[in-house]
Amino acid sequence: MAAGSGRAFKELISGIPNLVALVPRTNLPVQDQRWVKRLLRFSGRAGGPFKLYTILQHAEIVLLPVVWSLFSRKGKPALVICSQTLFGGVSGLLFHWLWNIPFIVQGHGEEFTVALKENSPFAWRLGLTRLVLQHASAVVCNAHNTRSVLQDQFGLRPGRLYVIHPTVQIDEQHGIDPADVALSKRDLAGDGRMILMVGRLSQERKGFDRAIEALPLIRARVPGVTLVIAGPGDPLPLHSIAQRNGVSKHVVFVGEVERRKLMLLYAACDVFLLPTRTMSNGDMEGFGIVFLEANLMGKPVVGGRSGGTRDAILDGQTGLLVDGKAPPQIADAVTRLLTDRAYADLLGRQGRERVLREFTTTTQQHRFAELVNQVLPVAE
C-alpha cells in the first residue's frame, strides 16, 4: 500500500515524453543473520539512534541526478522535475546553479507547515526550503491549501503556483466481484454496517483516535456498526483507545493490504471516514487521495476540515466535512449517512461522477504537460 503522494507523482509525470526517472532505493534486502539486523538498527535503517542510512538516502536523492547528468550519454536535461521540495528540490537547485537548467518542484502541503513550526536543530530545513522555492521555475501544489500556504507564508508569486490535484487509478474499479464484496463485508462486519478508514496508523493527523472515540456515540444510534481500519503501523496504541471507550470488539484492524483488497474494502463499506486535523507541529493532510478512491466506488465520505481535505471533499456534495478534533461532530456526520441511505447514495454517486470527470490520469497529465511546455521556453 504505497503512499498516495508517491503514486500521484508517478501518474503525473508518466505522460511526459523523453523522460528519464531517477528513483533512489527505498528498501534493502534484510537477511536473517542477527548481525545484519543489528547493523541496520545501528545505522538508522530501523529507527536506531544513528541516522547514517537516512543521511545516505538524502545524499543519494540530491547527488544522483547531477552525477547521472555528468556521465550519461543523454547529456544534460532541458528540465528537472522534483518529487519533493526538500532534498529533491535541492538537486533541482544544483542544476539551476551549475547549468542554469529550470526545475519544477511538487509540494504536498504538510512539509511546508511543519517546516514553519520546526525549531533548532531542524530550523535549517525552513531556510533550505525557502531557497529551493525562490529559485524553482514553478511549484505544483496538490491542493489550494498548499497554494495558500506558499503564497501567504512563503511569499511566492501566484503566477509560479499551479494547483494540479492527484490522480485516481480509474481502472482499479473494474474486476471487483459483488460476491467477493459481500463476503468481505460479512467477514469483517457480520450483518451490520461498516465504516472504513485507510492510512498509516502512525500519522495522528488522520484522526484514527478521534474516530474510535466517536464510535460509542455512533453505535448508540446505529447498533451493529463496525469500524474497519486498514494501513501499516502498530495498532496497539489504537487498541488501547478502543478498550478505554468500550468498543474494542467493534474495531477491526486488517493491517497493510494490497490494492485489490483495498478496493474490495472501499466497495464493502457503507461510509468512508478519515477525520483529519491540523496538529500542533503544523502537520496536516496534504490532500487525501483515499477520499476520492472511496468516491470512485460510489461511497460517501466524511473528512476533517483541515489542509487539502477541503479540495478532496466537496462538503454536502460528495461527502461531509467536520471538525476532526470533535468526536460528537464526527459521530453526527457518520450517523446521518448511515441512517439516511438516499442521501448517502446521492453523495456517493456525485462523488463518483466528480472523480471520473476531474481526477483521471489523462486529465491531470494534460494539465501538467501544459505547465512543462510553459516552463521550457523560458530556458531557450
Side-chain angles (χ1 to χ4, degrees):
M1 207 166 77
S5 58
R7 292 199 313 272
F9 184 74
K10 177 184 176 182
E11 291 293 320
L12 199 62
I13 66 174
S14 59
I16 302 298
N18 302 317
L19 177 77
V20 175
L22 302 180
V23 183
R25 293 161 296 180
T26 57
N27 290 297
L28 293 175
V30 179
Q31 306 293 330
D32 291 333
Q33 286 89 339
R34 188 171 300 174
W35 69 270
V36 174
K37 294 182 178 180
R38 287 178 177 174
L39 176 62
L40 293 176
R41 285 198 296 270
F42 180 81
S43 68
R45 170 74 163 83
F50 298 95
K51 299 303 180 184
L52 176 62
Y53 182 83
T54 302
I55 293 171
L56 291 176
Q57 274 190 314
H58 292 162
E60 185 177 18
I61 292 171
V62 171
L63 298 177
L64 176 62
V66 175
V67 174
W68 177 88
S69 290
L70 289 172
F71 294 99
S72 171
R73 294 180 180 179
K74 294 181 179 293
K76 296 179 181 61
L79 174 69
V80 176
I81 304 170
C82 310
S83 65
Q84 54 178 224
T85 305
L86 196 58
F87 303 118
V90 172
S91 184
L93 187 61
L94 289 178
F95 277 93
H96 175 72
W97 282 344
L98 292 172
W99 301 298
N100 198 31
I101 294 172
F103 67 101
I104 297 173
V105 296
Q106 184 185 38
H108 306 292
E110 65 272 16
E111 72 268 40
F112 305 122
T113 53
V114 169
L116 288 166
K117 295 270 189 177
E118 281 183 328
N119 297 315
S120 182
F122 297 105
W124 59 269
R125 293 174 182 260
L126 179 58
L128 196 55
T129 298
R130 289 188 184 277
L131 192 62
V132 169
L133 293 172
Q134 287 168 3
H135 290 86
S137 298
V139 181
V140 176
C141 307
N142 64 338
H144 287 88
N145 179 73
T146 303
R147 187 179 190 273
S148 297
V149 170
L150 292 177
Q151 183 177 339
D152 299 340
Q153 301 187 49
F154 284 83
L156 296 191
R157 298 192 311 273
R160 294 172 55 219
L161 302 173
Y162 300 81
V163 177
I164 303 179
H165 292 126
T167 65
V168 178
Q169 298 175 2
I170 303 298
D171 292 344
E172 289 187 323
Q173 65 180 308
H174 303 306
I176 302 297
D177 189 339
D180 291 338
V181 173
L183 179 61
S184 178
K185 183 173 184 179
R186 187 162 57 250
D187 288 344
L188 293 168
D191 296 326
R193 314 296 296 283
M194 173 177 158
I195 305 167
L196 175 66
M197 302 183 73
V198 175
R200 297 182 183 277
L201 307 189
S202 60
Q203 295 180 334
E204 290 185 66
R205 68 173 189 256
K206 295 187 182 295
F208 296 106
D209 52 350
R210 296 295 182 264
I212 293 173
E213 290 168 0
L215 188 57
L217 301 175
I218 297 171
R219 286 183 54 83
R221 287 173 274 181
V222 187
V225 172
T226 298
L227 176 62
V228 176
I229 300 176
D234 181 9
L236 288 181
L238 296 176
H239 266 303
S240 298
I241 296 174
Q243 287 181 330
R244 288 199 301 270
N245 286 272
V247 291
S248 57
K249 294 182 180 180
H250 310 295
V251 180
V252 179
F253 295 90
V254 298
E256 186 173 9
V257 297
E258 48 87 21
R259 293 295 298 178
R260 184 180 179 279
K261 173 65 174 178
L262 180 59
M263 300 312 291
L264 274 176
L265 292 176
Y266 284 131
C269 76
D270 295 287
V271 174
F272 180 82
L273 169 64
L274 208 66
T276 54
R277 65 185 189 268
T278 301
M279 308 303 295
S280 60
N281 66 350
D283 191 21
M284 64 177 64
E285 191 69 15
F287 182 76
I289 194 70
V290 290
F291 295 113
L292 300 184
E293 290 176 341
N295 276 160
L296 176 64
M297 303 307 292
K299 303 301 177 177
V301 297
V302 175
R305 195 178 288 105
S306 166
T309 302
R310 290 167 290 187
D311 274 22
I313 300 174
L314 297 182
D315 192 24
Q317 298 180 51
T318 66
L320 299 175
L321 290 172
V322 299
D323 180 353
K325 298 179 181 179
Q329 276 197 36
I330 298 168
D332 287 344
V334 173
T335 300
R336 181 182 181 186
L337 295 177
L338 289 176
T339 55
D340 189 342
R341 297 202 183 198
Y343 184 56
D345 289 344
L346 174 64
L347 297 190
R349 184 169 63 254
Q350 291 179 163
R352 173 177 167 78
E353 291 170 354
R354 178 183 179 230
V355 170
L356 295 176
R357 184 177 62 251
E358 300 179 20
F359 295 94
T360 65
T361 299
T362 302
T363 300
Q364 305 303 63
Q365 283 182 353
H366 178 69
R367 293 173 180 170
F368 188 68
E370 288 181 336
L371 170 58
V372 168
N373 289 332
Q374 288 178 33
V375 171
L376 280 176
V378 175
E380 296 177 352

